[in-house]
Amino acid sequence: MAASRIRAQPDSILVGRVAAVLDGAGVGPGSRLCVALSGGVDSVVTLHLLAALREDRGFALCAAHVDHGLQPAAGDWSAFCKRLCADLGLEIEVFPVTVRRDHPDGLEAAAREARHAALAALAVDWLVFGHHLDDQAETVLFRLLRGVGVRGAGAMAACEPGAPGRLRPLLEARRSEILEHAREAGLAWVEDHSNADRRHTRNRLRHDVLPCVEAAFPQAAAMLARSALNFREADGLLDELAHQDARACGDGESFSLAALRALSAPRLRNLLRWRIRCSGAEAPARARLVEAVRQLRHGVAPSLHLPLGQVACCLHRGRVWVEEMPAHGLPQPVRWCDEEAIDWGDGRVVFERRRGEGLCAAQLERGEVIVASRRPGLRMSDAPGRPRHSFKNLCQEAGVPPWWRDRLPVLYVDGEPVWIAGVGIAASARCEAGAEGVLPSWWRPGSPLRG
Protein backbone atom coordinates (compact mmCIF):
# COMPACT_ATOMS: atom_id res chain seq x y z
CA MET A 1 0.00 0.00 0.00
CA ALA A 2 1.61 3.25 -1.11
CA ALA A 3 1.38 6.35 1.02
CA SER A 4 -0.66 9.22 -0.38
CA ARG A 5 1.23 11.84 -2.41
CA ILE A 6 -0.64 14.91 -3.51
CA ARG A 7 -0.36 16.23 -7.04
CA ALA A 8 -0.87 19.85 -7.93
CA GLN A 9 -3.68 21.12 -5.73
CA PRO A 10 -6.84 21.08 -7.89
CA ASP A 11 -9.27 23.96 -7.84
CA SER A 12 -12.08 22.65 -5.71
CA ILE A 13 -15.14 23.91 -3.93
CA LEU A 14 -13.93 21.82 -0.99
CA VAL A 15 -11.05 24.23 -0.41
CA GLY A 16 -13.50 27.11 -0.02
CA ARG A 17 -15.70 25.09 2.34
CA VAL A 18 -12.78 24.22 4.56
CA ALA A 19 -11.57 27.83 4.59
CA ALA A 20 -15.06 29.07 5.51
CA VAL A 21 -15.27 26.72 8.51
CA LEU A 22 -11.80 27.78 9.67
CA ASP A 23 -12.83 31.44 9.42
CA GLY A 24 -16.03 30.78 11.35
CA ALA A 25 -14.08 29.07 14.12
CA GLY A 26 -11.50 31.84 14.32
CA VAL A 27 -8.64 29.53 13.36
CA GLY A 28 -5.52 31.54 12.63
CA PRO A 29 -1.85 31.94 13.54
CA GLY A 30 -1.00 29.94 16.64
CA SER A 31 -4.11 27.73 16.53
CA ARG A 32 -3.38 24.02 17.06
CA LEU A 33 -5.36 21.59 14.88
CA CYS A 34 -5.29 17.79 14.97
CA VAL A 35 -6.99 15.65 12.32
CA ALA A 36 -8.58 12.41 13.51
CA LEU A 37 -6.98 10.29 10.79
CA SER A 38 -8.50 6.87 10.20
CA GLY A 39 -6.80 6.41 6.84
CA GLY A 40 -10.12 6.42 4.99
CA VAL A 41 -10.73 8.77 2.11
CA ASP A 42 -12.70 11.32 4.16
CA SER A 43 -9.98 11.92 6.76
CA VAL A 44 -7.20 11.73 4.15
CA VAL A 45 -8.82 14.48 2.05
CA THR A 46 -9.41 16.57 5.19
CA LEU A 47 -5.75 16.25 6.17
CA HIS A 48 -4.52 17.20 2.69
CA LEU A 49 -6.79 20.23 2.44
CA LEU A 50 -5.63 21.52 5.82
CA ALA A 51 -1.98 20.82 4.98
CA ALA A 52 -2.40 22.97 1.86
CA LEU A 53 -3.88 25.84 3.92
CA ARG A 54 -1.65 25.78 6.99
CA GLU A 55 1.19 27.89 5.60
CA ASP A 56 -1.05 30.78 4.56
CA ARG A 57 -3.20 30.50 7.68
CA GLY A 58 -0.35 30.03 10.13
CA PHE A 59 -1.93 27.28 12.23
CA ALA A 60 -0.12 24.21 13.58
CA LEU A 61 -1.31 20.87 12.20
CA CYS A 62 -0.84 17.30 13.34
CA ALA A 63 -2.78 14.02 13.18
CA ALA A 64 -3.94 11.28 15.54
CA HIS A 65 -4.82 7.73 14.63
CA VAL A 66 -6.81 5.46 16.97
CA ASP A 67 -6.04 1.75 16.59
CA HIS A 68 -9.14 -0.08 17.80
CA GLY A 69 -7.57 -3.49 17.22
CA LEU A 70 -10.81 -4.81 15.75
CA GLN A 71 -9.56 -5.65 12.25
CA PRO A 72 -6.68 -7.87 11.08
CA ALA A 73 -5.46 -4.96 8.92
CA ALA A 74 -5.38 -2.47 11.82
CA GLY A 75 -1.59 -2.51 11.91
CA ASP A 76 -1.42 -1.77 8.18
CA TRP A 77 -3.76 1.21 8.64
CA SER A 78 -1.54 2.64 11.37
CA ALA A 79 1.52 2.22 9.17
CA PHE A 80 -0.26 3.92 6.25
CA CYS A 81 -1.22 6.91 8.40
CA LYS A 82 2.37 7.25 9.63
CA ARG A 83 3.74 7.23 6.07
CA LEU A 84 1.13 9.74 4.93
CA CYS A 85 2.03 12.18 7.71
CA ALA A 86 5.75 11.70 7.06
CA ASP A 87 5.20 12.64 3.40
CA LEU A 88 3.36 15.79 4.48
CA GLY A 89 5.90 16.68 7.16
CA LEU A 90 3.35 16.26 9.96
CA GLU A 91 3.59 14.65 13.36
CA ILE A 92 1.16 11.86 14.19
CA GLU A 93 0.26 10.14 17.43
CA VAL A 94 -1.15 6.60 17.38
CA PHE A 95 -3.46 5.50 20.20
CA PRO A 96 -4.00 1.74 20.70
CA VAL A 97 -7.29 1.32 22.58
CA THR A 98 -9.27 -1.54 24.06
CA VAL A 99 -12.89 -1.69 22.88
CA ARG A 100 -15.53 -3.14 25.19
CA ARG A 101 -17.20 -6.17 23.66
CA ASP A 102 -20.09 -6.02 26.14
CA HIS A 103 -21.11 -2.39 25.60
CA PRO A 104 -24.91 -2.05 26.05
CA ASP A 105 -25.19 -0.03 22.82
CA GLY A 106 -23.12 -2.41 20.70
CA LEU A 107 -19.64 -2.59 19.23
CA GLU A 108 -20.00 0.57 17.13
CA ALA A 109 -20.84 2.65 20.18
CA ALA A 110 -18.04 1.03 22.19
CA ALA A 111 -15.47 1.84 19.48
CA ARG A 112 -16.70 5.42 19.21
CA GLU A 113 -16.53 5.86 22.99
CA ALA A 114 -12.95 4.54 23.13
CA ARG A 115 -11.93 6.70 20.18
CA HIS A 116 -13.36 9.91 21.63
CA ALA A 117 -11.76 9.24 25.02
CA ALA A 118 -8.34 8.86 23.39
CA LEU A 119 -8.68 11.98 21.23
CA ALA A 120 -9.97 14.11 24.11
CA ALA A 121 -6.58 13.76 25.83
CA LEU A 122 -4.77 15.64 23.05
CA ALA A 123 -3.35 19.07 23.93
CA VAL A 124 -4.78 20.92 20.91
CA ASP A 125 -7.31 23.66 20.28
CA TRP A 126 -9.34 21.80 17.65
CA LEU A 127 -9.97 18.19 16.73
CA VAL A 128 -10.84 17.96 13.05
CA PHE A 129 -13.03 15.19 11.62
CA GLY A 130 -13.81 14.19 8.05
CA HIS A 131 -17.57 13.86 8.48
CA HIS A 132 -19.60 14.83 5.41
CA LEU A 133 -23.20 15.45 4.42
CA ASP A 134 -23.99 11.75 3.89
CA ASP A 135 -22.70 11.02 7.42
CA GLN A 136 -24.94 13.78 8.71
CA ALA A 137 -27.99 12.35 6.96
CA GLU A 138 -27.29 8.88 8.35
CA THR A 139 -26.84 10.30 11.83
CA VAL A 140 -30.11 12.25 11.74
CA LEU A 141 -32.04 9.23 10.46
CA PHE A 142 -30.38 6.88 12.95
CA ARG A 143 -31.16 9.14 15.89
CA LEU A 144 -34.73 9.84 14.83
CA LEU A 145 -35.36 6.10 14.65
CA ARG A 146 -34.12 5.88 18.24
CA GLY A 147 -36.63 8.50 19.37
CA VAL A 148 -34.22 11.28 20.31
CA GLY A 149 -35.27 14.82 21.14
CA VAL A 150 -34.44 18.08 19.41
CA ARG A 151 -30.82 18.13 20.61
CA GLY A 152 -30.09 14.61 19.41
CA ALA A 153 -31.76 15.21 16.06
CA GLY A 154 -29.48 18.21 15.58
CA ALA A 155 -26.70 15.65 14.99
CA MET A 156 -23.30 17.17 14.16
CA ALA A 157 -22.18 20.78 13.74
CA ALA A 158 -19.39 22.07 11.52
CA CYS A 159 -17.95 23.93 14.51
CA GLU A 160 -18.37 22.91 18.15
CA PRO A 161 -16.32 25.07 20.54
CA GLY A 162 -14.84 23.28 23.53
CA ALA A 163 -11.61 22.13 25.11
CA PRO A 164 -10.70 20.90 22.61
CA GLY A 165 -13.26 22.11 20.10
CA ARG A 166 -14.42 20.05 17.13
CA LEU A 167 -14.37 21.03 13.47
CA ARG A 168 -16.02 19.23 10.58
CA PRO A 169 -15.03 21.34 7.56
CA LEU A 170 -16.52 18.91 5.00
CA LEU A 171 -19.93 18.58 6.63
CA GLU A 172 -21.69 20.21 3.65
CA ALA A 173 -19.87 18.07 1.05
CA ARG A 174 -21.30 14.88 -0.42
CA ARG A 175 -19.32 11.65 -0.23
CA SER A 176 -19.15 11.65 -4.03
CA GLU A 177 -17.49 15.11 -4.04
CA ILE A 178 -14.83 13.93 -1.64
CA LEU A 179 -14.09 10.85 -3.74
CA GLU A 180 -13.87 12.93 -6.89
CA HIS A 181 -11.47 15.35 -5.21
CA ALA A 182 -9.27 12.49 -3.94
CA ARG A 183 -9.01 10.92 -7.40
CA GLU A 184 -8.25 14.22 -9.12
CA ALA A 185 -5.56 14.95 -6.54
CA GLY A 186 -4.03 11.48 -6.91
CA LEU A 187 -4.51 10.55 -3.27
CA ALA A 188 -4.35 7.06 -1.82
CA TRP A 189 -6.32 5.81 1.16
CA VAL A 190 -7.28 2.61 2.94
CA GLU A 191 -10.61 0.83 2.69
CA ASP A 192 -12.27 -0.46 5.85
CA HIS A 193 -14.19 -3.49 4.60
CA SER A 194 -16.20 -3.59 7.84
CA ASN A 195 -18.08 -0.57 6.45
CA ALA A 196 -19.91 -3.01 4.20
CA ASP A 197 -20.91 -5.31 7.07
CA ARG A 198 -24.66 -4.98 7.36
CA ARG A 199 -24.67 -6.41 10.85
CA HIS A 200 -23.83 -2.88 11.96
CA THR A 201 -26.85 -0.57 12.16
CA ARG A 202 -25.20 2.41 10.49
CA ASN A 203 -24.10 0.24 7.57
CA ARG A 204 -27.66 -1.01 7.02
CA LEU A 205 -28.84 2.59 6.92
CA ARG A 206 -26.03 3.56 4.54
CA HIS A 207 -26.34 0.67 2.10
CA ASP A 208 -29.99 -0.39 2.30
CA VAL A 209 -32.25 2.31 3.76
CA LEU A 210 -30.91 5.63 2.46
CA PRO A 211 -30.51 4.45 -1.17
CA CYS A 212 -34.18 3.40 -1.15
CA VAL A 213 -35.22 6.73 0.34
CA GLU A 214 -33.13 8.69 -2.17
CA ALA A 215 -34.61 6.69 -5.05
CA ALA A 216 -37.99 8.12 -4.11
CA PHE A 217 -36.71 11.47 -2.77
CA PRO A 218 -33.50 12.41 -4.63
CA GLN A 219 -32.69 15.26 -2.23
CA ALA A 220 -33.28 13.19 0.91
CA ALA A 221 -29.70 13.43 2.25
CA ALA A 222 -29.59 17.19 1.75
CA MET A 223 -33.02 17.61 3.35
CA LEU A 224 -32.06 15.50 6.36
CA ALA A 225 -28.93 17.63 6.78
CA ARG A 226 -31.06 20.77 6.52
CA SER A 227 -33.39 19.37 9.17
CA ALA A 228 -30.38 18.92 11.46
CA LEU A 229 -29.68 22.66 11.16
CA ASN A 230 -33.30 23.43 12.05
CA PHE A 231 -33.18 21.08 15.03
CA ARG A 232 -29.96 22.68 16.28
CA GLU A 233 -31.52 26.12 16.02
CA ALA A 234 -34.58 24.96 17.95
CA ASP A 235 -32.35 23.40 20.58
CA GLY A 236 -30.53 26.70 21.02
CA LEU A 237 -33.85 28.47 21.60
CA LEU A 238 -34.87 25.86 24.18
CA ASP A 239 -31.58 26.42 25.99
CA GLU A 240 -32.25 30.17 26.05
CA LEU A 241 -35.70 29.51 27.51
CA ALA A 242 -34.24 27.18 30.15
CA HIS A 243 -31.67 29.80 31.12
CA GLN A 244 -34.44 32.38 31.59
CA ASP A 245 -36.52 29.95 33.65
CA ALA A 246 -33.50 29.08 35.79
CA ARG A 247 -32.99 32.75 36.67
CA ALA A 248 -36.68 33.17 37.47
CA CYS A 249 -36.96 30.02 39.60
CA GLY A 250 -33.64 29.73 41.37
CA ASP A 251 -30.70 31.20 43.19
CA GLY A 252 -28.02 29.42 41.19
CA GLU A 253 -27.78 26.38 43.45
CA SER A 254 -31.41 25.27 43.52
CA PHE A 255 -34.92 26.08 42.35
CA SER A 256 -38.04 27.07 44.24
CA LEU A 257 -40.60 24.27 44.08
CA ALA A 258 -43.46 26.79 44.02
CA ALA A 259 -41.89 28.59 41.04
CA LEU A 260 -41.30 25.31 39.20
CA ARG A 261 -44.93 24.33 39.67
CA ALA A 262 -45.96 27.51 37.86
CA LEU A 263 -44.23 26.23 34.72
CA SER A 264 -45.95 23.93 32.25
CA ALA A 265 -44.84 20.29 32.33
CA PRO A 266 -42.93 20.54 29.00
CA ARG A 267 -41.20 23.72 30.16
CA LEU A 268 -40.22 22.13 33.46
CA ARG A 269 -38.85 19.06 31.67
CA ASN A 270 -36.84 21.37 29.43
CA LEU A 271 -35.40 23.18 32.45
CA LEU A 272 -34.41 19.95 34.22
CA ARG A 273 -32.93 18.51 31.02
CA TRP A 274 -30.87 21.68 30.59
CA ARG A 275 -29.66 21.65 34.19
CA ILE A 276 -28.66 18.00 33.90
CA ARG A 277 -26.62 18.71 30.77
CA CYS A 278 -25.00 21.69 32.50
CA SER A 279 -23.81 19.30 35.21
CA GLY A 280 -21.97 17.28 32.56
CA ALA A 281 -24.32 14.30 32.72
CA GLU A 282 -26.32 12.78 29.89
CA ALA A 283 -30.00 13.65 29.64
CA PRO A 284 -32.14 10.85 31.10
CA ALA A 285 -34.70 8.73 29.28
CA ARG A 286 -37.93 10.61 28.63
CA ALA A 287 -40.01 8.27 30.80
CA ARG A 288 -37.86 8.99 33.85
CA LEU A 289 -38.00 12.71 33.27
CA VAL A 290 -41.78 12.63 32.84
CA GLU A 291 -42.13 10.76 36.14
CA ALA A 292 -39.83 13.22 37.93
CA VAL A 293 -41.88 16.18 36.71
CA ARG A 294 -45.13 14.45 37.70
CA GLN A 295 -43.88 13.97 41.24
CA LEU A 296 -42.57 17.53 41.48
CA ARG A 297 -45.82 19.03 40.21
CA HIS A 298 -48.34 16.83 41.97
CA GLY A 299 -46.49 14.97 44.75
CA VAL A 300 -47.01 15.68 48.44
CA ALA A 301 -43.80 14.19 49.88
CA PRO A 302 -41.61 16.86 51.56
CA SER A 303 -38.44 15.17 50.31
CA LEU A 304 -37.66 13.32 47.08
CA HIS A 305 -34.55 11.72 45.66
CA LEU A 306 -35.34 10.59 42.12
CA PRO A 307 -32.54 8.79 40.23
CA LEU A 308 -32.22 9.99 36.62
CA GLY A 309 -29.30 7.97 35.35
CA GLN A 310 -26.03 9.66 36.31
CA VAL A 311 -27.77 12.24 38.48
CA ALA A 312 -30.75 12.53 40.79
CA CYS A 313 -33.48 15.14 40.98
CA CYS A 314 -33.74 16.20 44.62
CA LEU A 315 -36.46 17.97 46.62
CA HIS A 316 -36.13 19.05 50.23
CA ARG A 317 -37.84 21.81 52.16
CA GLY A 318 -39.30 23.44 49.09
CA ARG A 319 -36.03 23.54 47.10
CA VAL A 320 -35.23 21.44 44.03
CA TRP A 321 -31.78 20.70 42.63
CA VAL A 322 -29.82 18.15 40.58
CA GLU A 323 -26.85 16.28 42.03
CA GLU A 324 -24.62 13.39 41.04
CA MET A 325 -25.66 9.94 42.13
CA PRO A 326 -23.49 8.80 45.05
CA ALA A 327 -20.85 6.15 44.62
CA HIS A 328 -21.83 2.64 45.68
CA GLY A 329 -20.86 1.61 49.18
CA LEU A 330 -20.16 3.75 52.21
CA PRO A 331 -16.79 5.52 52.46
CA GLN A 332 -14.19 3.90 54.68
CA PRO A 333 -12.80 5.71 57.75
CA VAL A 334 -9.80 7.95 57.07
CA ARG A 335 -7.27 9.16 59.62
CA TRP A 336 -6.52 12.89 59.43
CA CYS A 337 -2.88 13.88 59.84
CA ASP A 338 -3.03 17.64 59.31
CA GLU A 339 -3.64 17.42 55.54
CA GLU A 340 -5.34 20.34 53.80
CA ALA A 341 -7.90 17.93 52.31
CA ILE A 342 -8.75 14.25 52.23
CA ASP A 343 -10.89 12.27 49.80
CA TRP A 344 -14.21 11.13 51.19
CA GLY A 345 -16.54 9.05 49.02
CA ASP A 346 -17.20 11.02 45.85
CA GLY A 347 -16.17 14.31 47.44
CA ARG A 348 -13.50 15.86 49.64
CA VAL A 349 -13.26 17.08 53.20
CA VAL A 350 -11.30 20.34 53.22
CA PHE A 351 -9.57 21.73 56.33
CA GLU A 352 -8.89 25.48 56.52
CA ARG A 353 -6.74 27.11 59.18
CA ARG A 354 -8.72 29.99 60.73
CA ARG A 355 -7.99 32.28 63.67
CA GLY A 356 -10.83 32.11 66.19
CA GLU A 357 -13.03 29.89 64.00
CA GLY A 358 -13.82 26.22 63.67
CA LEU A 359 -12.44 23.41 65.81
CA CYS A 360 -9.81 23.95 68.46
CA ALA A 361 -6.53 23.12 66.69
CA ALA A 362 -4.79 22.19 69.94
CA GLN A 363 -7.48 19.60 70.73
CA LEU A 364 -7.05 18.04 67.29
CA GLU A 365 -3.27 17.87 67.72
CA ARG A 366 -3.56 16.05 71.06
CA GLY A 367 -5.98 13.34 69.96
CA GLU A 368 -6.52 10.71 67.29
CA VAL A 369 -8.60 12.31 64.53
CA ILE A 370 -10.72 10.07 62.31
CA VAL A 371 -13.18 10.97 59.54
CA ALA A 372 -15.88 8.29 59.30
CA SER A 373 -19.60 7.76 58.80
CA ARG A 374 -22.00 8.14 61.71
CA ARG A 375 -21.68 5.50 64.39
CA PRO A 376 -24.59 3.85 66.25
CA GLY A 377 -25.85 5.99 69.12
CA LEU A 378 -24.05 9.14 67.98
CA ARG A 379 -25.08 12.17 70.01
CA MET A 380 -23.64 15.69 70.01
CA SER A 381 -24.34 19.16 71.38
CA ASP A 382 -23.87 21.84 68.75
CA ALA A 383 -24.31 24.87 71.05
CA PRO A 384 -23.11 25.80 74.57
CA GLY A 385 -25.58 24.83 77.28
CA ARG A 386 -27.61 22.71 74.90
CA PRO A 387 -28.15 19.01 75.66
CA ARG A 388 -26.71 16.38 73.33
CA HIS A 389 -29.09 15.40 70.55
CA SER A 390 -29.27 12.33 68.36
CA PHE A 391 -27.73 12.35 64.91
CA LYS A 392 -31.20 12.18 63.34
CA ASN A 393 -32.49 15.18 65.28
CA LEU A 394 -29.38 17.22 64.51
CA CYS A 395 -29.77 16.52 60.78
CA GLN A 396 -33.47 17.35 60.84
CA GLU A 397 -32.83 20.68 62.56
CA ALA A 398 -30.02 21.53 60.12
CA GLY A 399 -32.14 20.63 57.10
CA VAL A 400 -29.83 17.86 55.89
CA PRO A 401 -31.70 15.73 53.30
CA PRO A 402 -32.35 12.15 54.44
CA TRP A 403 -30.39 10.53 51.58
CA TRP A 404 -27.19 12.36 52.58
CA ARG A 405 -27.17 11.28 56.19
CA ASP A 406 -25.46 7.89 55.89
CA ARG A 407 -22.73 9.48 53.78
CA LEU A 408 -22.06 12.57 55.87
CA PRO A 409 -18.45 12.73 57.08
CA VAL A 410 -18.19 12.92 60.84
CA LEU A 411 -14.97 14.01 62.55
CA TYR A 412 -14.13 12.04 65.69
CA VAL A 413 -11.42 12.97 68.20
CA ASP A 414 -10.53 10.01 70.42
CA GLY A 415 -13.88 8.48 69.49
CA GLU A 416 -16.00 11.56 70.29
CA PRO A 417 -17.87 13.36 67.46
CA VAL A 418 -16.75 16.99 67.17
CA TRP A 419 -18.00 17.91 63.69
CA ILE A 420 -20.80 16.67 61.40
CA ALA A 421 -20.85 17.97 57.83
CA GLY A 422 -23.90 20.15 57.23
CA VAL A 423 -24.71 20.21 60.96
CA GLY A 424 -21.84 21.96 62.68
CA ILE A 425 -19.21 21.77 65.36
CA ALA A 426 -19.61 20.34 68.86
CA ALA A 427 -19.81 23.01 71.54
CA SER A 428 -17.03 21.30 73.51
CA ALA A 429 -14.60 21.46 70.58
CA ARG A 430 -15.11 25.05 69.42
CA CYS A 431 -12.12 27.30 68.98
CA GLU A 432 -11.89 30.20 71.44
CA ALA A 433 -11.66 33.77 70.22
CA GLY A 434 -8.15 34.54 68.99
CA ALA A 435 -6.98 30.92 69.18
CA GLU A 436 -5.88 28.83 66.21
CA GLY A 437 -8.75 26.91 64.67
CA VAL A 438 -9.45 24.41 61.92
CA LEU A 439 -12.63 24.81 59.87
CA PRO A 440 -13.68 21.61 58.04
CA SER A 441 -16.09 21.48 55.11
CA TRP A 442 -17.36 18.76 52.83
CA TRP A 443 -17.44 19.39 49.11
CA ARG A 444 -19.41 17.00 46.95
CA PRO A 445 -20.23 17.62 43.24
CA GLY A 446 -23.43 19.65 43.13
CA SER A 447 -23.85 19.62 46.92
CA PRO A 448 -21.43 21.83 48.91
CA LEU A 449 -21.96 21.61 52.65
CA ARG A 450 -20.30 23.68 55.34
CA GLY A 451 -20.51 22.69 58.96
Side-chain angles (χ1 to χ4, degrees), residues 269-333:
R269 285 194 294 271
N270 180 61
L271 175 57
L272 290 178
R273 196 182 290 113
W274 173 80
R275 176 51 64 90
I276 290 168
R277 286 201 308 267
C278 288
S279 74
E282 295 181 3
R286 176 180 173 81
R288 288 189 178 186
L289 200 57
V290 167
E291 176 58 20
V293 168
R294 186 193 69 79
Q295 293 197 42
L296 289 177
R297 285 169 57 84
H298 306 296
V300 295
S303 295
L304 290 172
H305 185 259
L306 307 171
L308 298 173
Q310 299 169 309
V311 299
C313 177
C314 305
L315 163 65
H316 187 63
R317 294 192 173 184
R319 305 300 298 181
V320 177
W321 67 94
V322 170
E323 67 180 37
E324 290 185 13
M325 287 291 291
H328 296 295
L330 293 177
Q332 296 300 307

Side-chain angles (χ1 to χ4, degrees), residues 8-202:
Q9 179 67 42
D11 292 331
S12 170
I13 193 172
L14 296 186
V15 177
R17 284 175 171 162
V18 172
V21 172
L22 295 180
D23 289 340
V27 172
S31 297
R32 299 168 300 168
L33 277 63
C34 180
V35 174
L37 184 64
S38 68
V41 65
D42 307 326
S43 63
V44 167
V45 167
T46 301
L47 185 69
H48 272 284
L49 291 171
L50 289 172
L53 292 169
R54 63 174 169 156
E55 185 173 346
D56 288 342
R57 299 273 174 155
F59 57 79
L61 181 65
C62 65
H65 175 78
V66 179
D67 181 357
H68 301 90
L70 298 175
Q71 302 290 336
D76 294 335
W77 298 344
S78 297
F80 169 81
C81 292
K82 290 178 181 178
R83 291 196 301 271
L84 170 59
C85 289
D87 285 349
L88 293 172
L90 300 174
E91 293 185 0
I92 181 172
E93 189 163 356
V94 176
F95 295 93
V97 298
T98 300
V99 178
R100 285 180 56 188
R101 303 285 180 156
D102 60 345
H103 196 285
D105 294 326
L107 193 61
E108 288 177 291
R112 182 169 57 253
E113 190 175 281
R115 180 167 62 253
H116 288 175
L119 295 175
L122 288 164
V124 296
D125 300 311
W126 298 97
L127 291 171
V128 189
F129 299 89
H131 297 122
H132 46 70
L133 186 142
D134 296 78
D135 291 326
Q136 182 79 312
E138 291 165 14
T139 301
V140 173
L141 187 57
F142 176 70
R143 293 185 178 182
L144 287 174
L145 291 172
R146 297 184 67 185
V148 297
V150 171
R151 171 169 288 252
M156 300 176 286
C159 175
E160 294 180 0
R166 298 187 175 200
L167 297 178
R168 299 179 180 90
L170 298 180
L171 198 58
E172 294 185 2
R174 294 300 304 263
R175 181 182 286 117
S176 57
E177 294 179 80
I178 294 172
L179 282 168
E180 181 182 359
H181 177 96
R183 289 167 181 150
E184 288 181 0
L187 305 183
W189 60 89
V190 298
E191 294 286 356
D192 183 354
H193 297 293
S194 70
N195 287 334
D197 187 348
R198 284 166 167 79
R199 289 177 297 178
H200 299 309
T201 305
R202 292 293 293 261

Side-chain angles (χ1 to χ4, degrees), residues 349 351 359 371 380 409-412 416-426 440-442 449-451:
V349 178
F351 300 88
L359 294 160
V371 178
M380 189 181 84
V410 180
L411 196 69
Y412 296 89
E416 284 296 314
V418 297
W419 169 77
I420 302 172
V423 172
I425 294 171
S441 58
W442 181 42
L449 286 182
R450 285 196 176 271

